[in-house]
Amino acid sequence: KQNPALIVGSLRLTGQVYQAQGHYEKALQYYEQAIAASKKFGISAIEKVLLRNMADCTIKQRDFQQASEYIKQLKYLSEKNNNQAYLAVSFALFGEIYAYQNQYVKALEYFQKSKEIYKKIQEFKSLVTLTDYLSSAYMALGQYEQANQVIQESSQIVQKINDPSLEVEILSTQGNVFEHMGQYDKAESTYQQALKLSQDQQDPERLSNLFNRLGILYQNKKFTRFNKQQAQEFFKKALELAEKMKNIQVEVSILNNLALTYDSNEAIPIFEKAVQLAQQIRFPMAMAYSTLNLAVLFAKKKEYTKAVASLTQSLTIAREIQNSELIALCLSNLGMIAI
């Protein structure tokens, strides 16, 4: 006899494995099967979990219209069942969509709604996790004082609940704020603190993220210790960890960063690998930026036919995902090649 809970659970688990690897299309197929099975067997409790997973996947794909539909369903079920935790999740997810679309005031409105609920129900871990979203939105608006205030509030919570993994999260976010404020030495020391804690905890995901952040920092010419070779070493360490985790989305992001540390001839095959991986997992934003970077390099080498082809591909994707900033970049580069 079939065990309904086991069937739904195994479908969800398979989806989570694909999601963790950046295979969002496959993940969504399994989540959809799990939703159908949960309705068939009357296991309604898991539906909110699955809708959150599906919203996460579609946000990563930059399919904001579909993501919004999943979040609306999640919000409806949360209100219907008076589940405050998932209502807070739905507000945070809406905020994430607005942030991706550069509508930071609107994003903050939803992040704040989520924050108030988490405070009310004393969901401290989720409250701390929200810090990165809130501080990023404040930074985008140039409100660094508010970004730091949010971090300090979360830091006090982390000290009370004594969770080292959350301490790493706060340090990483604080380092990011310092970096955006141009306080690069403070950013570097803060990232190093977080790195040490991540190594102690043997947390590959956070280690990969921190090595990537340090690579970006050392790649910045405004940093007093600017060093391309050191940046490459950090990116390679980040990439190695991402490959071990089989997280293709993260691999693509790191490959793009790594390629920028090399001259044209060495960078082109790295960008091409990023494009191939992005195509493999159907990650349109990464495909668009990778092909745009390729176009710039081809133009530098005066390979204008290849440059125009890459730019056209990037522009097509940018229009499909309705990214106005990327569309403007593509058109600007096309205009320069035409001149």
Side-chain angles (χ1 to χ4, degrees):
K1 188 179 178 179
Q2 289 181 321
N3 184 322
L6 187 60
I7 291 169
V8 175
S10 63
L11 286 168
R12 181 200 169 205
L13 182 60
T14 306
Q16 286 179 310
V17 171
Y18 280 119
Q19 183 178 352
Q21 295 175 346
H23 292 284
Y24 301 118
E25 285 291 328
K26 287 185 179 179
L28 284 165
Q29 289 171 13
Y30 280 96
Y31 290 144
E32 284 165 4
Q33 289 177 50
I35 286 258
S38 70
K39 288 179 177 176
K40 177 183 175 181
F41 297 122
I43 308 173
S44 58
I46 200 171
E47 194 171 347
K48 290 187 289 294
V49 180
L50 291 165
L51 286 167
R52 178 185 185 168
N53 291 144
M54 294 164 85
D56 281 332
C57 286
T58 43
I59 287 172
K60 290 290 192 300
Q61 291 178 313
R62 307 300 190 266
D63 186 351
F64 299 129
Q65 186 174 349
Q66 184 60 68
S68 293
E69 290 304 312
Y70 291 138
I71 301 167
K72 285 175 186 175
Q73 290 178 55
L74 175 61
K75 183 173 178 287
Y76 169 75
L77 290 175
S78 301
E79 290 173 333
K80 181 182 177 182
N81 302 324
N82 193 29
N83 190 314
Q84 293 296 298
Y86 271 101
L87 182 60
V89 168
S90 67
F91 285 136
L93 288 168
F94 275 130
E96 198 174 339
I97 288 175
Y98 282 115
Y100 272 123
Q101 295 176 321
N102 300 328
Q103 297 181 44
Y104 298 110
V105 173
K106 198 73 176 173
L108 276 173
E109 180 186 324
Y110 279 95
F111 290 146
Q112 290 290 0
K113 285 182 181 181
S114 182
K115 180 182 176 181
E116 289 307 311
I117 294 173
Y118 283 140
K119 284 175 73 174
K120 183 180 177 182
I121 63 175
Q122 297 188 323
E123 185 65 51
F124 296 122
K125 192 165 185 176
S126 299
L127 187 59
V128 173
T129 302
L130 195 63
T131 303
D132 189 50
Y133 294 107
L134 278 162
S135 63
S136 294
Y138 279 126
M139 283 192 294
L141 294 169
Q143 298 175 12
Y144 296 108
E145 188 177 333
Q146 287 90 333
N148 278 316
Q149 185 179 336
V150 169
I151 293 167
Q152 291 309 311
E153 288 173 5
S154 293
S155 185
Q156 289 171 10
I157 293 170
V158 170
Q159 286 172 13
K160 284 181 183 177
I161 62 177
N162 192 27
D163 188 329
S165 66
L166 291 179
E167 189 177 349
V168 172
E169 201 166 319
I170 291 298
L171 284 168
S172 180
T173 302
Q174 181 67 79
N176 191 29
V177 173
F178 283 141
E179 190 175 349
H180 278 79
M181 292 175 71
Q183 298 178 16
Y184 302 117
D185 289 328
K186 281 187 178 181
E188 201 266 350
S189 63
T190 307
Y191 287 144
Q192 290 290 357
Q193 278 181 266
L195 189 66
K196 175 67 169 62
L197 280 174
S198 293
Q199 287 169 331
D200 291 343
Q201 296 163 22
Q202 296 183 329
D203 186 335
E205 186 176 353
R206 283 199 171 95
L207 275 171
S208 179
N209 177 56
L210 286 162
F211 280 131
N212 188 47
R213 291 278 1 143
L214 282 162
I216 293 169
L217 184 61
Y218 274 86
Q219 193 182 33
N220 188 339
K221 290 181 180 179
K222 293 179 181 177
F223 182 38
T224 53
R225 292 194 292 284
F226 163 74
N227 187 317
K228 276 192 177 184
Q229 286 72 35
Q230 183 62 71
Q232 287 166 9
E233 289 305 310
F234 281 130
F235 287 138
K236 286 174 183 176
K237 286 179 181 179
L239 186 60
E240 183 182 354
L241 287 163
E243 288 170 346
K244 283 181 181 177
M245 292 186 294
K246 296 184 178 179
N247 191 323
I248 297 177
Q249 183 193 353
V250 174
E251 283 182 56
V252 171
S253 175
I254 297 166
L255 282 167
N256 274 299
N257 291 333
L258 177 62
L260 292 170
T261 65
Y262 288 100
D263 294 329
S264 299
N265 289 334
E266 292 174 293
I268 285 171
I270 301 173
F271 279 130
E272 287 175 338
K273 184 179 178 182
V275 171
Q276 289 169 2
L277 288 174
Q279 287 173 330
Q280 183 180 323
I281 61 170
R282 298 185 184 181
F283 187 15
M285 181 69 83
M287 283 172 60
Y289 273 107
S290 298
T291 49
L292 174 59
N293 285 325
L294 270 173
V296 172
L297 292 180
F298 284 136
K300 282 182 180 178
K301 295 182 70 179
K302 298 184 179 180
E303 296 181 22
Y304 298 118
T305 302
K306 288 183 179 180
V308 170
S310 292
L311 273 172
T312 303
Q313 184 182 357
S314 184
L315 181 59
T316 301
I317 298 167
R319 284 173 170 160
E320 285 173 359
I321 61 177
Q322 299 179 352
N323 187 307
S324 56
E325 183 181 342
L326 190 53
I327 291 169
L329 277 172
C330 291
L331 290 173
S332 173
N333 279 281
L334 274 169
M336 284 190 284
I337 290 172
I339 292 169

